[in-house]
């Protein structure tokens, strides 16, 4: 009997904790309400299974506890019960998977009118790149990375000369415009995550990953690294400012291009970079993408 009471108390305590929890979701600030819906459906299905199974367990412990003069009925198989369990388990799994798969299908299908911005992670900071007037991000490779060219842009690629570089932890995005986030890592595994956007994706060294979103609410939001990336992981933070199109365009116009950065390089640095660009090796290319924000 005490065990049954303890199980029932655990269930009631869990329900009470959910109802009066001190934690809550951040306000949604993007188009990804479907991700919230998938999460809520999963939580409700898991809650139903948790409550029903544990209350049944408490009932069984109490109802079929050992008592003098009572013998247990041995029933090694029950096909009817097994069919019911298999059916309802399958329904629960389908109910949890279907909303997530539907959201994922949209998550990786980038609209044709989406703009593009590249986010590059390294221990322990963020940098960003926008395409210039040509709407195309230039190629990049590890071999081009130097203190003067931290993003590893190819100086021989004409499409990269007008790329706009944001070498700070502050990113601006226009409200109401879809944008494709192209993600790269310079060292270890990182993860670009803004809680209010709900969208996130790992940044894997040697691989270019992506996702897309449409910011829907103006404001200032924190960028987090959602993957343990070293001793400074907790400090790998940035800021994304969602603002009106005019304010965004004014901010973007203030950013320096890669061509301007090349012009500021000293002769020795520029010569070394060009020599690396013209070396007889095959670069690891970052896929180009068209479209402007």
């Amino acid at each position: 009997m005490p065990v049954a009471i303890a199980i029932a108390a655990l269930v009631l305590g869990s329900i009470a904790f959910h109802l009066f929890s001190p934690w809550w979701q951040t306000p949604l600030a993007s188009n990804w309400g479907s991700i919230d819906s998938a999460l809520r459906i999963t939580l409700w299905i898991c809650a139903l299974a948790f409550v029903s199974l544990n209350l049944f367990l408490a009932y069984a412990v109490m109802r079929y506890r050992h008592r003098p003069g009572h013998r247990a009925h041995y029933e090694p198989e029950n096909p009817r019960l097994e069919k019911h369990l298999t059916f309802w388990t399958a329904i629960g799994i389908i109910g949890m998977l279907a909303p997530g798969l539907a959201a994922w299908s949209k998550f990786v299908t980038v609209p044709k009118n989406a703009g593009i911005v590249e986010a590059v992670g390294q221990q322990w900071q963020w940098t960003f790149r926008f395409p210039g007037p040509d709407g195309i991000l230039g190629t990049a490779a590890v071999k081009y990375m130097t203190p003067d060219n931290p993003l590893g842009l190819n100086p021989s690629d004409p499409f990269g000369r007008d790329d706009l570089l944001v070498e700070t932890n502050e990113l601006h995005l226009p409200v109401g415009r879809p944008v494709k986030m192209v993600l790269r890592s310079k060292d270890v595994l990182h993860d670009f995550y803004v809680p209010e956007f709900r969208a996130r994706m790992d940044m894997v060294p040697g691989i270019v990953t992506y996702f897309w979103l449409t910011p829907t609410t103006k404001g200032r939001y924190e960028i987090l690294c959602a993957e343990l990336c070293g001793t400074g992981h907790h400090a790998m933070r940035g800021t994304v400012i969602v603002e009106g199109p005019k304010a965004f365009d004014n901010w973007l116009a203030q950013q320096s291009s890669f061509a301007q950065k090349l012009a500021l390089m000293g002769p020795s640095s520029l010569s070394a970079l060009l020599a690396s660009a013209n070396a007889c090796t095959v670069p690891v290319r970052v896929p180009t993408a068209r479209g402007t924000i």
Side-chain angles (χ1 to χ4, degrees):
M1 183 67 73
V3 174
I5 294 174
I7 295 174
L10 174 65
V11 173
L12 295 176
S14 299
I15 295 174
F17 182 81
H18 173 74
L19 295 176
F20 304 103
S21 174
W23 295 291
W24 58 87
Q25 286 182 308
T26 57
L28 180 65
S30 78
N31 61 306
W32 289 120
S34 57
I35 293 180
D36 278 0
S37 298
L39 177 61
R40 282 193 291 267
I41 292 172
T42 299
L43 289 175
W44 276 108
I45 292 175
C46 291
L48 179 63
F50 174 80
V51 172
S52 58
L53 290 176
N54 278 281
L55 289 181
F56 172 76
L57 178 61
Y59 167 78
V61 169
M62 181 182 66
R63 176 70 176 80
Y64 300 105
R65 68 189 185 278
H66 172 71
R67 287 170 291 173
H70 289 261
R71 290 179 61 87
H73 173 66
Y74 178 64
E75 187 177 359
E77 295 183 5
N78 188 326
R80 182 170 177 270
L81 177 61
E82 291 177 2
K83 289 178 182 179
H84 278 288
L85 289 176
T86 301
F87 174 78
W88 288 111
T89 300
I91 292 297
I93 293 174
I94 293 172
M96 289 189 291
L97 287 179
L101 291 175
W104 175 257
S105 176
K106 298 178 182 178
F107 192 70
V108 296
T109 305
V110 182
K112 293 182 179 180
N113 65 331
I116 185 169
V117 55
E118 181 186 65
V120 180
Q122 71 176 84
Q123 295 174 317
W124 290 276
Q125 65 183 23
W126 304 100
T127 47
F128 307 96
R129 177 167 60 124
F130 289 83
D134 62 6
I136 304 175
L137 285 177
T139 55
V142 174
K143 71 172 187 174
Y144 302 133
M145 289 183 180
T146 66
D148 295 315
N149 185 21
L151 297 184
L153 304 190
N154 182 354
S156 298
D157 187 349
F159 292 113
R161 292 298 182 97
D162 63 348
D163 288 355
L164 301 175
L165 311 180
V166 184
E167 297 181 291
T168 68
N169 283 347
E170 184 174 287
L171 171 68
H172 289 232
L173 293 176
V175 67
R177 294 183 187 175
V179 56
K180 178 182 178 181
M181 298 294 304
V182 178
L183 309 174
R184 284 195 293 142
S185 171
K186 292 174 60 176
D187 38 42
V188 300
L189 195 65
H190 298 289
D191 189 295
F192 185 89
Y193 178 44
V194 178
E196 290 82 1
F197 291 167
R198 301 300 191 265
R200 53 177 287 188
M201 183 66 68
D202 277 355
M203 309 167 80
V204 184
I207 298 176
V208 178
T209 56
Y210 73 94
F211 67 86
W212 76 275
L213 76 148
T214 301
T216 57
T217 306
K218 294 180 181 180
R220 189 181 187 92
Y221 308 105
E222 189 170 26
I223 303 171
L224 306 175
C225 178
E227 197 73 54
L228 184 60
C229 58
T231 57
H233 165 70
H234 66 284
M236 190 169 174
R237 298 170 183 263
T239 302
V240 56
I241 298 175
V242 179
E243 56 195 1
K246 185 176 180 180
F248 168 76
D249 291 339
N250 291 336
W251 171 83
L252 193 62
Q254 299 172 16
Q255 309 309 310
S256 300
S257 69
F258 184 49
Q260 292 173 313
K261 191 175 185 66
L262 289 176
L264 294 175
M265 285 185 182
S268 58
S269 298
L270 184 57
S271 298
L273 187 59
L274 291 174
S276 175
N278 295 321
C280 297
T281 57
V282 178
V284 178
R285 299 173 63 86
V286 175
T288 60
R290 296 183 178 273
T292 55
I293 293 180

